[in-house]
């Protein structure tokens, strides 16, 4: 059986989704989880694009040991130099070079002739080969390129040293049959193509990213590029979990294998959804909440008699937990640490100690602490804590059906200074958010506000997600508390801390650029 490599680009193409801004800690946690999932290659970012991306790629390359870590690079020496600096500490450094090859992109975006594009591509691959043992080359907008030109440039970059050739459907335009034909065309028209790996990279604008990737595999691709939950630019990329499970369940048809640990799929999907704030639709294949729920009486009856009547994928295959472990107020630090590790999170001793305090506080108010509660607390402790920025000290909100809702908020900034403000609004949340806007002294547009409970029961934790826009920055935030208003305040502050972090990183980039 052929082996198919999974190239995960959640941290690069996925992070390009509107409103997704992951911080360093969050990216590292996702990278560690991708390593547990046993993807072959992690695309950790675009090192030359910003100081933050550079640092994230470098740390991920130095942390991850059992996957190859790569970074994106335009076909220019300065990008390649930055990528090498970021990736050289990796277990198997590889570079992902790209340049556009379609007439639309070459004429309007690059303003280069086809000959100039070939020259730039070849020169970039040769330069990259001085440093990187593995160079992957991508023809951006390959699917709207002229095939003879595509074959010509692919032949030249192979000659120059590229060992992986990626054929992206950048705009999500191709159909499965046509995509397969491109792979066949290249195999029949490019000398030495049998010595390189062919890779598929599909976007989902017409809803065909997964099926196009599968078609590429049927027509000779040995690598697929995809993201967890299919997040990515515009309509997103091909969803890793869907391709992986299709290849597994229909092994009889595809006749390929992978090295993925499918049991890590659900956990990876949850982690990415929580950290990015991109919700997984309930009916999403493989990882949606309803993917294994049988609703109609006839189906339920069938499944009770024999699972395979209506169930082609078992929830256990992708690691959907069959029951959730419950901790309570008598559980000790040891039990907590064990459970945290079983859930797949890596916490330092100090983080475990802090978590234990939060756990005890919650256990005083709530009888059973489920895995979902614990995960919510871990997120609060590990990812939502911006030590150098703002923290909530207290809120007080007054609401009555015949009163004007009023909120008073006290915040602490990174230096420990207190900021106190009060404001009114049409409702409690609006009063709270008007007050916070005053605290931050900047105009904030609230683009989205979502509230959900962590598990069931009246004493369940509330989890709030917000999306905000401040000037040209769009980002999301989340907050968890037993009270919905406190969770709402935390989510807003979390989003604002991300805005300040992005502004600080931009200022830092400008400083580097002008020095
Ligand atoms: O979609 C695309 O073309 C890309 C390339 C940079 C590989 O993401
Ligand atoms: Zn892409």
């Amino acid at each position: 059986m052929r082996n198919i490599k999974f190239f995960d680009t959640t941290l690069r193409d996925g992070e390009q989704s509107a409103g997704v801004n992951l911080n360093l800690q969050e990216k590292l946690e996702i990278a560690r989880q991708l390593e547990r999932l046993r993807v072959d290659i992690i695309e950790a970012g675009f090192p030359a694009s910003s100081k933050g991306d550079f640092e994230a790629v470098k740390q991920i390359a130095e942390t991850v040991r059992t996957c190859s870590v790569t970074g994106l690079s335009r076909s220019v020496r300065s990008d390649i130099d930055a990528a090498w600096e970021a990736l050289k500490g990796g277990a198997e450094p590889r570079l992902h070079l790209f340049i556009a090859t379609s007439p639309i992109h070459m004429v309007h975006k690059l303003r280069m002739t086809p000959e100039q594009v070939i020259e730039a591509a070849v020169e970039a691959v040769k330069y990259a080969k001085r440093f990187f043992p593995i160079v992957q080359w991508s023809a951006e907008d390959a699917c709207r390129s002229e095939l003879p030109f595509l074959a010509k440039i692919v032949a030249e970059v192979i000659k120059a040293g590229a060992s992986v050739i990626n054929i992206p459907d950048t705009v999500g335009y191709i159909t499965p049959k046509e995509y397969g034909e491109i792979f066949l065309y290249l195999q029949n028209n490019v000398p030495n193509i049998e010595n390189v790996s062919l890779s598929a990279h599909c976007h989902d604008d017409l809803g065909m990213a997964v099926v196009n990737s599968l078609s590429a595999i049927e027509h000779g691709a040995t690598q697929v590029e995809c993201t967890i939950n299919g997040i990515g630019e515009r309509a997103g990329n091909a969803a890793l979990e869907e391709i992986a499970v299709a290849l597994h369940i229909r092994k009889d048809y595809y006749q390929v294998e992978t090295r993925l640990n499918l049991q890590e799929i659900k956990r990876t999907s949850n982690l990415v959804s929580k950290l990015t704030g991109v919700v997984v639709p309930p009916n999403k294949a493989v990882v949606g909440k309803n993917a294994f729920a049988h609703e109609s009486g006839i189906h339920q009856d069938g499944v009770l008699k024999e699972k395979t009547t209506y169930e082609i994928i078992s929830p256990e295959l992708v690691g959907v937990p069959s029951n959730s472990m419950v901790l309570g107020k008598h559980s000790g630090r040891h039990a907590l640490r064990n459970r945290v590790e079983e859930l797949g999170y890596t916490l330092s001793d100090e983080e475990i100690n802090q978590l234990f305090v939060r756990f005890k506080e919650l256990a005083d108010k709530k009888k059973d602490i489920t895995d979902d509660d614990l995960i919510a607390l871990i997120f609060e402790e590990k990812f939502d804590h911006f030590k150098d920025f703002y923290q909530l000290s207290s809120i007080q909100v007054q609401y009555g059906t015949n009163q004007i809702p009023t909120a008073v908020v006290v915040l602490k900034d990174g230096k420990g200074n207190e900021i106190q403000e009060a404001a009114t609004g049409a409702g409690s949340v609006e009063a709270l958010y008007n007050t916070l806007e005053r605290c931050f002294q900047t105009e904030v547009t609230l683009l989205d506000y979502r509230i959900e409970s962590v598990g069931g029961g009246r004493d369940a934790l509330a989890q709030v997600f917000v999306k905000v826009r401040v000037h040209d920055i769009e980002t999301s935030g989340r907050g968890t508390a037993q009270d919905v208003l406190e969770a709402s305040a935390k989510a807003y502050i979390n989003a604002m801390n991300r805005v300040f972090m992005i502004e600080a990183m931009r200022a830092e980039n400008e400083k580097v650029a002008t020095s």
Side-chain angles (χ1 to χ4, degrees):
M1 280 202 191
R2 278 188 307 149
N3 188 272
I4 302 298
K5 288 203 160 124
F6 274 76
F7 175 118
D8 181 277
T9 182
T10 305
L11 294 172
R12 200 276 299 169
D13 229 350
E15 219 233 350
Q16 287 173 221
S17 313
V20 173
N21 295 295
L22 297 166
N23 64 32
L24 179 59
Q25 271 230 310
E26 292 167 333
K27 287 184 183 176
L28 268 169
E29 194 65 29
I30 291 177
R32 286 197 194 98
Q33 182 55 34
L34 291 171
E35 195 176 15
R36 279 187 210 109
L37 178 61
R38 288 169 56 80
V39 301
D40 297 272
I41 300 134
I42 297 175
E43 185 165 46
F46 184 172
S49 69
S50 71
K51 206 165 167 276
D53 242 39
F54 176 89
E55 206 42 50
V57 175
K58 185 166 163 42
Q59 292 220 20
I60 291 170
E62 285 166 7
T63 305
V64 167
R65 294 289 97 189
T66 59
C67 310
S68 182
V69 176
T70 192
L72 187 67
S73 165
R74 288 170 300 181
S75 298
V76 292
R77 288 190 173 204
S78 53
D79 275 27
I80 300 169
D81 291 339
W84 176 242
E85 276 312 303
L87 290 161
K88 64 184 179 191
E92 188 194 61
R94 68 172 67 203
L95 184 67
H96 182 187
L97 269 178
F98 77 100
I99 194 163
T101 54
S102 67
I104 302 178
H105 278 232
M106 290 191 291
V107 171
H108 300 290
K109 188 183 80 172
L110 297 178
R111 305 218 162 101
M112 286 164 86
T113 63
E115 288 68 34
Q116 286 170 328
V117 170
I118 295 182
E119 203 183 310
V122 168
E123 140 71 16
V125 173
K126 282 190 177 155
Y127 184 67
K129 278 300 282 182
R130 291 193 201 170
F131 313 99
F132 288 90
I134 304 171
V135 173
Q136 160 167 333
W137 182 82
S138 284
E140 192 190 11
D141 205 17
C143 296
R144 292 191 298 170
S145 303
E146 286 162 4
L147 286 181
F149 177 68
L150 191 61
K152 187 168 166 195
I153 192 166
V154 168
E156 291 302 323
V157 294
I158 292 176
K159 240 195 279 168
S163 48
V164 183
I165 299 296
N166 183 34
I167 305 298
D169 181 22
T170 306
V171 293
Y173 174 77
I174 205 82
T175 65
K177 185 164 174 286
E178 290 167 322
Y179 199 44
E181 282 164 3
I182 296 179
F183 282 82
L184 289 183
Y185 181 89
L186 293 175
Q187 286 165 86
N188 291 329
N189 290 281
V190 176
N192 296 320
I193 195 117
E194 62 285 0
N195 300 329
V196 302
S197 312
L198 292 180
S199 175
H201 176 115
C202 299
H203 281 267
D204 208 31
D205 299 66
L206 295 176
M208 293 194 276
V210 169
V211 72
N212 282 340
S213 307
L214 292 168
S215 169
I217 290 172
E218 282 187 82
H219 293 92
T222 50
Q223 175 175 297
V224 274
E225 305 195 1
C226 34
T227 59
I228 302 298
N229 301 334
I231 64 168
E233 282 270 3
R234 309 179 308 277
N237 289 57
L240 180 146
E241 62 281 0
E242 294 183 23
I243 301 175
V245 172
L247 293 181
H248 177 83
I249 297 290
R250 295 305 315 271
K251 203 180 233 168
D252 61 320
Y253 178 78
Y254 289 107
Q255 298 281 318
V256 297
E257 50 193 23
T258 76
R259 65 163 215 157
L260 292 173
N261 177 2
L262 298 182
Q263 292 206 339
E264 291 293 335
I265 281 186
K266 183 66 180 175
R267 193 201 314 248
T268 318
S269 163
N270 285 347
L271 182 72
V272 169
S273 171
K274 282 225 163 73
L275 290 179
T276 56
V278 181
V279 192
V280 175
N283 63 332
K284 165 116 174 39
V286 181
V287 290
K289 199 165 117 265
N290 296 345
F292 304 102
H294 301 280
E295 188 63 29
S296 98
I298 295 175
H299 288 209
Q300 285 175 353
D301 180 55
V303 169
L304 284 174
K305 288 179 176 141
E306 167 54 47
K307 274 202 175 132
T308 53
T309 48
Y310 289 101
E311 201 170 275
I312 61 158
I313 314 166
S314 76
E316 295 78 31
L317 176 77
V318 292
V320 174
S322 50
N323 56 2
S324 159
M325 168 116 175
V326 174
L327 298 177
K329 71 174 173 194
H330 300 298
S331 308
R333 201 180 303 250
H334 189 65
L336 179 74
R337 179 187 280 282
N338 272 352
R339 195 61 198 145
V340 167
E341 280 166 10
E342 276 162 18
L343 288 170
Y345 293 91
T346 338
L347 265 67
S348 65
D349 287 346
E350 195 196 326
E351 283 167 339
I352 285 282
N353 290 342
Q354 306 275 8
L355 183 72
F356 191 62
V357 175
R358 301 286 320 275
F359 166 76
K360 283 288 177 190
E361 279 167 11
L362 184 61
D364 276 341
K365 299 181 201 151
K366 190 172 187 290
K367 189 169 164 284
D368 294 332
I369 311 290
T370 63
D371 287 345
D372 286 341
D373 292 326
L374 208 50
I375 291 170
L377 290 185
I378 295 171
F379 271 67
E380 283 262 295
E381 193 45 52
K382 196 166 165 65
F383 306 114
D384 298 349
H385 207 66
F386 286 76
K387 290 191 180 67
D388 300 333
F389 294 90
Y390 294 88
Q391 280 178 50
L392 181 66
S393 291
S394 66
I395 58 167
Q396 196 182 324
V397 181
Q398 275 190 336
Y399 174 81
T401 36
N402 300 319
Q403 271 182 349
I404 296 175
T406 311
V408 180
V409 175
V410 183
L411 296 184
K412 250 195 201 130
D413 69 13
K415 296 187 184 107
N417 303 317
E418 275 200 349
I419 304 150
Q420 179 167 347
E421 285 292 350
T424 58
S428 311
V429 175
E430 197 193 345
L432 188 60
Y433 283 5
N434 287 345
T435 312
L436 283 165
E437 196 173 37
R438 280 194 182 168
C439 293
F440 293 121
Q441 295 180 5
T442 185
E443 203 180 301
V444 183
T445 310
L446 185 66
L447 301 170
D448 196 8
Y449 172 93
R450 278 184 282 123
I451 182 157
E452 58 186 45
S453 73
V454 179
R458 279 187 228 177
D459 60 354
L461 288 173
Q463 201 156 41
V464 171
F465 295 90
V466 294
K467 201 184 243 186
V468 300
R469 187 185 315 118
V470 179
H471 315 303
D472 64 331
I473 298 175
E474 251 185 46
T475 191
S476 59
R478 52 178 183 263
T480 310
Q482 271 211 315
D483 181 81
V484 291
L485 292 173
E486 191 180 327
S488 303
K490 282 181 169 174
Y492 189 101
I493 296 165
N494 183 251
M496 290 306 291
N497 279 336
R498 282 170 203 270
V499 171
F500 297 130
M501 203 182 66
I502 294 165
E503 282 176 345
M505 261 161 28
R506 280 186 182 174
E508 187 68 33
N509 283 344
E510 266 164 35
K511 229 170 35 190
V512 173
T514 52
S515 65

